[in-house]
Each structure stands twice: as C-alpha cells, then as structure tokens.
Amino acid sequence: MSTGSSHRAPLAVFAVYGTLGFFVILALFPFLYMISLSLQTDADLFSGVPMLVPSVLQFSNYVAIWEKAPFARFILNSFIIAGGITALHLFFDPLVGYVFAKMEFPGKRAMFAALLSTLMLPFFIRMIPLYILTAKMGWLNTYQGLIMPFAMSAYGIFLMRQFIRPIPSDLLDAARLDGASEWRIYRSVVLPQLGAPMATLGLLTFVFQFNEFLWPLVVVSSVEMRPITTGLTLFNSEFFTQWNLTATGGVILFLPSLLLFVFMQRYFVRSVMMSGMK
Amino acid sequence: MRLLNSRKAREAGFAYIVLLPAIAYFLVYFFYPIGVELWASFFRGQPLIGQSEFAGFENYRQALMDPRVRAAFGRTIVFATLGTFCTLVPALFLAAILSGPIKAATTIRAIIFFPYIISFVIVALMWKSLLDPYTGMLNVLLSFLDLPTQNWLSTPSTALPTIIAITVWKDIGYAMLIYIAAIQGIPKELYEAAEVDGASPAQRFRRITIPLLMPTTLFLAVISMIAHLQDLSAPYLLTGGGPAEATRLYALHVYEVAFLELNIGYASALSFLMFIAILAITFVQFRFLNREVVY
C-alpha cells in the first residue's frame, strides 16, 4: 500500500502542487495587479480588456504622485512612530520580563495576574477614554500621543519571561558573588541570551505598528502628522476614480514592508512560528 | 542569613524600580481607561469633555433595544465566525501539505504569508481596484468571458461576503504558519506507528493531526474571533459600512457614535457591551474546543 511519501502517485503530486500553485497565485495576484495598474495610462485603464501587462509603461505616474501628497513625510512619520514604539518595547519588555522571571518580591503574583489580565482588554474598548486622555494631555496630533499608548505590552513581557526562565539562576548568583550590580547582571548575563526572542518581538511590533490604522485616524488631525496608513486614505478619497494613480501610491507605500520582508523573510517566518508556540 | 536578607532586599529594590514605569504605564493606559469607560457608560451626553447627566442603566437599555445595534451585532457575529472558520480550514490543509516533502516549501509559505504583514489600507486599495465595477480586472475578465458582472462591494447581498473573503485572504498565511509550527511539534513516532498499522494519509490526518492540533486551533480561533469582533478597518476602508448598512459592523457603529456624533456616554456603553460579548464568546470557545490532549 503506501510506501512512504517519496513514491506518490502522479495524480496526487499534481493535486498537491496544483493547490499550492493556486494559493501562491492568489496571494501574489493583487500585488502584481497593483504594480500593473500603477504603470497604466488612463486609456489602458478604461480599455475594457483585461490586462496585466500594460501596453505602454507609464512611469510618469510615479512622478505625478509626489506632487499630490507628502509621501516622504508619511513614510518618515511611520518610521518614527513604529520605530519609537519598537525601541520602547525592546527596552521595557525584556526588563520587566526578567523581573517577573527571576526576582522575588512582595506583590509579584498579584501584579503578574493584573498584567496578564490586560491581554483580555481589546484596544477598541479603551479607545474612547484614551482619546480623551490624550486630548487632555495636549498630545493630540503629536508623536508622543501616537507612541505612548503602545509603549509596552503584556504579550511582549510574557514572551520575554518565557525565554528568561530557563536561564540558570546559578549563573546570575555567580555574577552576584562577583559583585556585579543587578543592572549589570541583566545587561551582561541575561540580555545577550535573548537574541532570537528580541528579534521576534522587534519584527512583530514594528510591522504591527507600521500598519496601525485606527489610532492615527482618531488622534491625527493635520496632513503632515499622518503615517502612511492614514495618509493613503486621504489620497484615495481625493482621487478615488484614478486607480492608476492610487495604485502608484499603494506600490510606494507597500515597498518598505516588501523590502523588510524580502531581506528578513526567514526570520519573519520563524518569529511568527515562535510567537505561536509559547 | 543576613547575606540572604540583604540579597532579597536588593532584588526587591531593583524589581520595584524596574516595575515603577511599567505600573504607571499599565495604570494610565489600561486600567484607568477601562474604569473611565465604565463610569462614562452611565452618563448621557459627553461625560469627561462636556455636558452630561447621570443616566443609570439607560444607555445599556437603549443599546439592547436599538435595532441598528442588534443588526450590527448580528452581522459582526457572522463576519467573525465565517471569517475565522474560512481562515482556519484552508490554513490547516496548507500547513499539512507544506509540512510534507514539498519542493520550495519555505518560499511557498513565505509567499502565502506575505499579505499578512501588509497594512489593511493597502490591502483594501488593491482589492477595491481589482473589484472596481468598471475598470477592475475581475469584472473586465467576467465580461470578456460573457459571464454576468457583479458590483461586489456595492451590492447588499455580496458586500459582506466580499469583505469576509478579503480578510480571509490576508489572514490565512498567519494561521498556516502557526499550524506548521504545531505540526512540527507532533512526535514523528505517532505517524510511523499509524503507518505500520496501515492507516492511510487521510486517516493519519484525521486521527492524529487534527486532534493533536486542538490547542493550536483553540488559540487561533480565540485570537481570530477577538480580532474580527472588533474589526473596524475592513468595513471602514472597503465600504464605509454600506451599501444600505450591509457591512456596518459593530465597531464601525461605535466609532461613528463616539467620534462623529460625539455621543460619548452611549458609545462607552456600546463598547462595554462588546467587551462582555467578547469575554462570553471566548469562554464558550474554551468550553467547546479545550479538550485535554494526551500524547
């Protein structure tokens, strides 16, 4: 009967690769279509012929678009916001995770339980009071108003704690006997062992925040404070019928994510799988 | 003994210093907003920023009676359950296939995963251009083949299914990766033993893979439901809630009540009701999906 997977029937092999091919095309097609649109002329767009390869490559769309919206500023804003949040996470999450993994102090259990309970609070239900709080602090339409609500996460702290727990406590005690300060122990003994989980946390936080849409939509009122996500909606609503120009904006704005993904693809895939296993 | 005490004191001192900013952060950005939200939900008007008067449970009563709220809630349940189901089933099959001896498996899973890391703003843009009734590739292709064209996002009967399909398209790769990780954690001996006993690949998948992946399915189902229940980007960016309210999901309704109508008290009550619903649904999922797994 079945003699192992290396001797499968040709039909089964065909079915398997057919299925995979279908999903690969499905995943890629909208991106290819958008790139194609961004190079089309209005005539191509309205020709009524389905085309993925434009008759003429109109690169001028890529020039025209910069005059319609401050894309450079949008991209810069996205990097400042997502980068700032990621930096805060990478500073605080392992530090707090370390304290919960390795230290004993009164109130630890209660605090950890309270921390984990925040995982069950969807952002959506905190949004209205957060908006009012940010307004009262005078932080509407500012970078700190966009960054501070996401400075740490219970998820990140928990992830870090899971990876710090297996580090032998004897190692920390040995450093203590050598007279190292607690901060020094954390920095020189604990932190160097967290490479992979820190990269996981960093990548996921960055991408997630780079894509954040709701909070900037609520907090930002001026055009030049918009990150890519809300910047693009402004563009889309103003020029909604011109799909070739809109698609050009879309291509410019998914390029940073695409480049990040292409260069760190293996790491990305591994980090998501890692985050799900804990 | 004294050494031990001083060490403990030192540890606790360090712990509290580290925890201070964390405690401040979680109090200000998590616990305070929840408290305020609950408090505001008992006021009519604009508690916290303007005129308001105490209303007791009036906001809650009004919300539960409001046909628009009920319809939005029902739609959101359909969106979340269908969205979750249609993501997890193909993701599991893809994961099972890609865990086997497949050429270029790493590249294939990276490609299928890619849409997950793209902002929904761009995803919406791509699909709106593809589905555009006049110039979009899909309708152009359909008319080219003499098939009836469809105004996917502006027809009440197709708008919600289309939005579901687009969110499924985006999320499938994430679920797939998590499933692949879980499948890799299943002991190989189980499959080998089953093969010796003459179980077919389909039987092995049904009897070993699916049951052992129950904890993963629970994890994915819970996070996917929670995300879908509060999703606002999809209807906001794809249809704005239309046509004829067909895609007006709960979160979008709350957003408009809060930030366009500035009806803060009522919106707070609506948010809190959603919070209670999320907790209840998560609890039910744990009851039904959380069976002990014995290797």
Side-chain angles (χ1 to χ4, degrees):
Chain A
M1 307 272 280
S2 170
T3 50
S5 32
S6 48
H7 300 289
R8 276 197 218 155
L11 197 68
V13 174
F14 183 76
V16 163
Y17 281 99
T19 310
L20 290 178
F22 171 76
F23 277 97
V24 165
I25 290 170
L26 193 66
L28 286 181
F29 188 77
F31 292 97
L32 297 175
Y33 182 68
M34 190 149 83
I35 293 169
S36 157
L37 272 185
S38 75
L39 296 169
Q40 289 184 18
T41 58
D42 292 356
D44 273 352
L45 190 62
F46 289 101
S47 65
V49 183
M51 62 173 77
L52 205 55
V53 182
S55 59
V56 217
L57 297 183
Q58 193 186 42
F59 286 100
S60 63
N61 290 341
Y62 281 86
V63 183
I65 196 109
W66 295 87
E67 289 155 15
K68 312 239 174 192
F71 277 108
R73 184 63 197 258
F74 293 164
I75 294 170
L76 179 72
N77 287 341
S78 280
F79 274 96
I80 291 174
I81 297 161
I85 292 170
T86 307
L88 284 169
H89 273 252
L90 290 181
F91 180 78
F92 281 112
D93 291 359
L95 195 55
V96 177
Y98 169 58
V99 163
F100 278 119
K102 290 292 176 189
M103 310 239 139
E104 286 307 326
F105 52 91
K108 178 177 163 179
R109 277 168 158 268
M111 278 191 230
F112 195 62
L115 179 76
L116 288 187
S117 76
T118 64
L119 284 173
M120 296 199 307
L121 297 176
F123 177 73
F124 166 69
I125 81 145
R126 292 183 290 133
M127 190 172 67
I128 299 165
L130 274 185
Y131 173 79
I132 295 167
L133 184 73
T134 307
K136 283 189 174 162
M137 289 164 131
W139 283 4
L140 290 182
N141 215 29
T142 63
Y143 288 124
Q144 61 269 36
L146 286 158
I147 291 173
M148 281 313 287
F150 305 102
M152 296 177 215
S153 82
Y155 171 76
I157 292 169
F158 184 73
L159 188 74
M160 289 300 139
R161 173 180 168 273
Q162 295 300 89
F163 282 96
I164 292 169
R165 261 161 37 129
I167 297 174
S169 295
D170 294 347
L171 201 66
L172 309 180
D173 285 337
R176 279 193 190 100
L177 283 179
D178 286 346
S181 69
E182 292 297 330
W183 173 251
R184 180 76 201 278
I185 294 170
Y186 167 72
R187 246 195 49 209
S188 319
V189 183
V190 178
L191 212 50
Q193 311 212 28
L194 295 177
M198 292 272 279
T200 301
L201 182 68
L203 271 180
L204 295 182
T205 307
F206 187 85
V207 167
F208 198 72
Q209 294 302 333
F210 201 81
N211 293 343
E212 174 65 27
F213 168 70
L214 186 53
W215 187 241
L217 178 73
V218 168
V219 168
V220 174
S221 51
S222 72
V223 170
E224 62 271 18
M225 279 306 292
R226 287 179 191 229
I228 283 173
T229 47
T230 54
L232 192 58
T233 56
L234 162 110
F235 183 77
N236 186 25
S237 58
E238 275 179 22
F239 306 96
F240 60 97
T241 44
Q242 273 180 295
W243 279 122
N244 44 359
L245 273 189
T246 311
T248 309
V251 172
I252 292 174
L253 300 183
F254 86 67
L255 272 182
S257 313
L258 177 69
L259 290 179
L260 193 69
F261 186 70
V262 167
F263 286 118
M264 310 198 67
Q265 183 236 103
R266 277 168 179 275
Y267 231 69
F268 249 112
V269 168
R270 228 180 295 148
S271 54
V272 169
M273 290 165 73
M274 203 164 165
S275 73
M277 280 188 295
K278 284 288 151 181
Chain B
M1 192 62 199
R2 192 184 298 153
L3 193 75
L4 205 68
N5 279 340
S6 81
R7 201 198 107 181
K8 270 193 171 166
R10 213 173 69 155
E11 264 189 29
F14 180 75
Y16 287 131
I17 290 170
V18 165
L19 286 178
L20 209 62
I23 292 169
Y25 169 75
F26 282 99
L27 279 179
V28 170
Y29 284 107
F30 282 82
F31 294 104
Y32 168 80
I34 288 301
V36 164
E37 182 103 300
L38 184 60
W39 180 82
S41 72
F42 293 111
F43 287 81
R44 196 194 306 277
Q46 302 178 353
L48 302 162
I49 53 169
Q51 285 272 307
S52 72
E53 56 176 298
F54 185 73
F57 282 95
E58 178 55 26
N59 285 329
Y60 288 95
R61 200 192 64 82
Q62 193 190 332
L64 291 171
M65 303 301 280
D66 187 346
R68 282 185 90 194
V69 171
R70 287 182 180 196
F73 183 73
R75 235 173 261 135
T76 306
I77 294 290
V78 170
F79 173 77
T81 17
L82 268 183
T84 301
F85 185 78
C86 297
T87 305
L88 296 200
V89 172
L92 175 58
F93 276 100
L94 281 171
I97 293 175
L98 285 168
S99 302
I102 294 288
K103 287 195 190 94
T106 338
T107 313
I108 294 174
R109 69 186 189 195
I111 290 173
I112 296 175
F113 171 65
F114 182 60
Y116 180 73
I117 69 154
I118 293 298
S119 158
F120 202 88
V121 175
I122 296 167
V123 167
L125 201 75
M126 293 193 305
W127 282 98
K128 270 165 80 177
S129 61
L130 257 168
L131 299 172
D132 184 280
Y134 307 109
T135 61
M137 174 77 120
L138 193 63
N139 271 356
V140 171
L141 201 66
L142 285 175
S143 64
F144 208 69
L145 299 169
D146 270 335
L147 291 168
T149 60
Q150 203 34 276
N151 206 339
W152 305 98
L153 286 166
S154 356
T155 309
S157 59
T158 54
L160 192 61
T162 307
I163 287 190
I164 293 173
I166 293 169
T167 50
V168 167
W169 173 83
K170 187 178 182 344
D171 291 345
I172 235 171
Y174 174 77
M176 176 195 73
L177 282 190
I178 302 289
Y179 269 134
I180 291 176
I183 289 174
Q184 286 172 352
I186 298 177
K188 295 267 179 301
E189 301 85 59
L190 285 175
Y191 289 106
E192 285 158 12
E195 214 176 324
V196 170
D197 290 345
S200 70
Q203 280 173 325
R204 276 175 273 159
F205 181 66
R206 224 181 48 230
R207 298 279 163 75
I208 302 174
T209 312
I210 292 184
L212 289 185
L213 288 183
M214 246 5 220
T216 310
T217 302
L218 174 70
F219 167 77
L220 286 172
V222 167
I223 59 162
S224 168
M225 279 298 276
I226 292 177
H228 277 97
L229 286 171
Q230 47 172 334
D231 192 2
L232 187 152
S233 315
Y236 183 93
L237 291 164
L238 285 164
T239 57
E245 304 230 322
T247 59
R248 195 182 177 82
L249 299 183
Y250 196 90
L252 183 65
H253 186 69
V254 177
Y255 170 82
E256 292 193 1
V257 171
F259 293 101
L260 301 184
E261 298 171 19
L262 286 176
N263 200 345
I264 303 289
Y266 189 47
S268 298
L270 286 174
S271 298
F272 235 83
L273 283 174
M274 180 43 91
F275 181 47
I276 294 165
I278 289 175
L279 286 184
I281 290 167
T282 307
F283 178 75
V284 169
Q285 283 179 302
F286 269 92
R287 279 300 293 273
F288 277 92
L289 292 172
N290 197 17
R291 311 237 164 83
E292 280 298 313
V293 177
V294 187
Y295 276 61

